Amino acid sequence: MPVAVDRTRAMTATDAQSSPAKASQDIPPAGTAPPAPNPRKRKKAKAKELEDAEVWSWKSLTDSSASRVPPIFTKDGSYFFSAAGPSVKIHSVATGEVVSTLTPPPTSVSDAAGSSLQSDVVTSAILNPHNPFQLITGSLDGYIRVWDFLDASLLQTICVSQPIFHLTAHEKFRDHVFVAAARPTKKKTSKANVATEEDNVAVLRVSLKPTAATAAAPVQVSSEIVGVGKTRSTTGLAISPSGAWLVATAGHKAYVCRTVDLKAGFTKFVSPERLTCLAFHPSEEYFATGDATGCIRLWYCLNESIAVKTAGVEKTAQTTTLHWHAHAVSSLAFTPNGAYLLSGGEEAVLVIWQLHTGKKEFVPRVGSPIVHISLLNKGAEEEYLLGLADASFVFVRASTLKISRSIARIKLDPAISHDRPSTSTAVPLAIHSLSSTLILPSSHPSSLQTFSPSTSRLLSELEVSPSNRVSRRDEKPLQPARVERAVLSDSGDWMATVDSREADESFRAEVYMKIWQWDRKAGFWILNTRIDRPHGLKKVTGVAFRPYARTQDDLLLATTGEDGNIKTWRIRSVKTKAEGVEEYWVARSTLRFRTETPSDVSWSPDGSLLAVSVGSHVAIYDPDTNALHQVLTCPECATMCRVQFLGSSGRYMVISGPRDVLLWDLVLQNLRWHYRSQTAIEPVVHPTEDQFAVMERISPSTNTESPSTRVLIFHPSTSYPVAIRTLPFHLRSAVPVPSSGFFPTDPAGFTLVGITDTWSVVVFGDDVQVPEEEGASAQGITRDVAVGKRTLFHDIFGASAFADLASAPSTSAAAATSTAKPWKGKEIAQAFDAPAHLMPPLETLFDAVMDGFLATRPDDADEHEEREQEEDEMDVDEDGETAARPAKSGAPLDRVVDRQEMNGFVEIFIQSAIKGPPSSMPPPAFPHVNGIHKPNGVPPHVNGVRTAPSTPPASSKTKPTPNGTGRGGDAYTPSQPAPSESDASPAVKAGKKRKKSLG
């Protein structure tokens, strides 16, 4: 029964002394003196508790950030490699899909993949110059690994014992690689007193031949390691195309060494600015570097004068400077002919420099800052592959300088042009039940992205706050609007987002709440209402939709803000003449609780109560009448940050502060128990069961340890956790997963999805089962004919006509004989050795030759096709990129030649290219080869000679046109659609009329 506001009695923790539940060990019951703490006993108990805790099962759904390794193409250009943590993924160039993943053995893979202190990350990768089917990788764990990527097998592992930063090789040095590895040092910095191992690097020549003692061991030791020289932290390591020079860039210097005299060491050349990248000219003896100020320098110092060295003297070299970039140059690459130089950086613009004239062209707005540039040269077609800061890839066609396609992966790690938000900043994370997808933040702060865990694909990206994605004008970057919250309704039809931008000297503060409606047909969010400054210029602290709304009028949205107001919003419907009914959201009511600032808002499971945390109180309202039902107060917790209803009944309420958790029983109107943690906490309630989890952030005690999270599972009956779990990472945000329709989880178990501090998306909980991503494991790679180069015959007959159907099972013996290919081998060569006047006419050979090349479709497929397709409909060949999908091991081909499509090509070929014999001449008695009956009532023909139909064909009055040309002589190609029915060739028209007249 509602209680008047002036008669409301604030319940305190003293009313809970009669609660049957026991209090926590850390907090004694109210009214008693706390015992003197014993730090030593508490520390030992805590250490023992962590040892006994079980590691919660978890799995990472995505890669956290872009790799420092540039993508590498195979020799034929069909695949490219990209590093992702300790693994290397193999992508198909045609489709962009991951076909295989090379992962080192578990013995050398860190268990804390979600932490930022990984020691096994792949930092460099190259193709073996003596075997193009082998990949050589170097990683921070000090291992050089040689892979056979076709068989997805690890061939060799060599230990260097120091972290590897760069790796290069040349065909001139067989079984040798050059690496830039960390050099151990005892030097300490004067400020932080931290060892600077990474700042001291040694360049080594490492032999891939192991010692005799370790030849049979899984991890081998190199038989020869030769030191070349010492540098600072390297930003590039490369060998000239001739193999005569070894160059490393580090700090403000370029280190040059002759490969024939490695003992002489490096010659140092000074740069005015810090060098960031390195690239060698493909044919001439000079190299290019980029620096931190955006300048590109071409160094002409590779000559015999290097041999003259003076101890302690650093040289300067003759250089040519190119300058356009406003910020650091991140990557450089020369074209294969050496005429152009490509550069990219934070501006998200690809710059193409013409070296002999100094002119430049641009490919702007590629989507994100450019990190790497690689070149793909497949015959006459040349493309540039850009690795972006948001872990996605973009292909740019060299002929048009246009983006041809992109490979979008999940983009979580903020781009280098934006500051990382602090761990206390709210991160939007939600689960959309209608599409079974995750709503995640994007690398750009003003966008959201939709990710499907079942298919491991990025479905779409939603720009919540439109902004110009340009680089910073000065050293201080421009701060765009940042999406802080994303909340979905129970039905999944509505989503509310809050984005804001802080004020500075140039712009005023902005706060927007936007309500989006889900378009079920299009599968995308459409903006319905934008509310400017819902709580003035103050920050929005809580957003929640009313659950269990039976009608649209019952659906409410509650918000709280730092202005002290508690607002509810509803849908208003207005009839319009043009569109019928227009719906939008408007403010319904505004409430205040004393002078306190509300921090969070929550609804009961049935939507009958609205709970708001305000200071040290929790106010419970009736949402229909705005009447204040109850006020809950706990003096021991001065600030209540979050309030949540527990379970499906809503009897219990979980209230949390910075380090406190309180459980209230709304039926008995008392405090069940109170738990206090020693660290910052974040509670997450189960969507249906009466249990909840408390996340405790455990900071590492030393620099070598990774951060961890202790998860305490509580039940309403006791303040002691019923289970303790650990996770090897810290979490920014976490939400519970529904028991059905998302992951195959146990409804009584606890499964959550979270974003770690290192911007990885992880799913964790009891018995986590996540569908494995296609290509996530090591798989052998096979090449198929469909992946080969597209020729004119593909344009004429379609790529499906050249599919290898030898593996397709035959339905009968007759089908096996019909699919035989007798026109292959030496017989076909001998058949044409006779003189031309003794050869049979081409008309008599056409069907026999074509039936030998092409497979016949089964009769049942023809009958099924007759029922479904119209008589006058022509099939269109499938898209070239779809047909050119690479085949993995064991993947069958289910695409066969369409008979109606082939009949159309046969008619065009006969009418346009072959002059038929006179109609008075009787057809030669040549047996039909394939013996297949023609569908649609068309009379059978023998060897390409068709009996004359009763109605004269329209093609007899029209002059035939050459192959591949239209009426006006305009040629059409696969990139241009074929002529419509009205513009079809005479042969096709004749075939259609013939079918209509005889059908």
Side-chain angles (χ1 to χ4, degrees), residues 755-813:
I755 300 177
T756 67
D757 278 356
T758 56
W759 300 98
S760 294
V761 180
V762 293
V763 54
F764 54 95
D766 301 327
D767 191 20
V768 172
Q769 298 179 5
V770 180
E772 185 177 358
E773 182 181 0
E774 185 178 1
S777 59
Q779 301 180 13
I781 300 176
T782 59
R783 288 294 309 278
D784 190 74
V785 181
V787 190
K789 182 180 179 182
R790 189 178 182 92
T791 63
L792 181 61
F793 292 101
H794 291 81
D795 298 338
I796 296 176
F797 296 103
S800 59
F802 298 88
D804 187 8
L805 301 177
S807 60
S810 58
T811 55
S812 60

Side-chain angles (χ1 to χ4, degrees), residues 512-531:
Y512 298 102
M513 184 173 70
K514 299 173 182 177
I515 304 177
W516 310 75
Q517 188 173 14
W518 176 254
D519 189 344
R520 302 200 178 199
K521 293 184 179 179
F524 200 74
W525 293 101
I526 299 176
L527 181 61
N528 179 271
T529 306
R530 190 189 79 173
I531 302 170

Side-chain angles (χ1 to χ4, degrees), residues 680-694:
I681 61 173
E682 179 68 22
V684 180
V685 301
H686 195 282
T688 56
E689 301 293 329
D690 288 341
Q691 60 177 339
F692 63 96
V694 175

Side-chain angles (χ1 to χ4, degrees), residues 605-769:
D606 58 356
S608 60
L609 296 177
L610 178 65
V612 182
S613 59
V614 280
S616 60
H617 313 281
V618 174
I620 303 177
Y621 292 92
D622 183 353
D624 296 326
T625 63
N626 293 338
L628 182 62
H629 272 315
Q630 190 99 32
V631 178
L632 311 178
T633 303
C634 180
E636 287 81 1
C637 183
T639 303
M640 297 184 180
C641 303
R642 293 197 63 184
V643 54
Q644 304 174 76
F645 285 87
L646 183 62
S648 57
S649 62
R651 173 179 178 178
Y652 302 101
M653 181 183 296
V654 179
I655 306 170
S656 62
R659 295 189 176 185
D660 299 273
V661 178
L662 299 89
L663 185 74
W664 285 84
D665 189 336
L666 299 181
V667 175
L668 300 179
Q669 297 186 2
N670 60 8
L671 178 66
R672 296 281 293 180
W673 48 261
H674 177 195
Y675 173 84
R676 174 169 293 174
S677 173
Q678 301 298 320
T679 60
I681 61 173
E682 179 68 22
V684 180
V685 301
H686 195 282
T688 56
E689 301 293 329
D690 288 341
Q691 60 177 339
F692 63 96
V694 175
M695 314 288 181
E696 292 185 341
R697 298 172 67 94
I698 306 299
S699 301
S701 57
T702 61
N703 294 330
T704 58
E705 292 183 5
S706 60
S708 60
T709 300
R710 183 173 62 170
V711 184
L712 309 178
I713 309 297
F714 286 96
H715 193 270
S717 60
T718 176
S719 62
Y720 293 96
V722 297
I724 301 178
R725 304 287 185 263
T726 58
L727 295 171
F729 43 76
H730 281 172
L731 291 167
R732 291 178 177 267
S733 180
V735 294
V737 175
S739 58
S740 61
F742 205 78
F743 292 122
T745 58
D746 183 10
F750 214 157
T751 305
L752 302 98
V753 172
I755 300 177
T756 67
D757 278 356
T758 56
W759 300 98
S760 294
V761 180
V762 293
V763 54
F764 54 95
D766 301 327
D767 191 20
V768 172
Q769 298 179 5

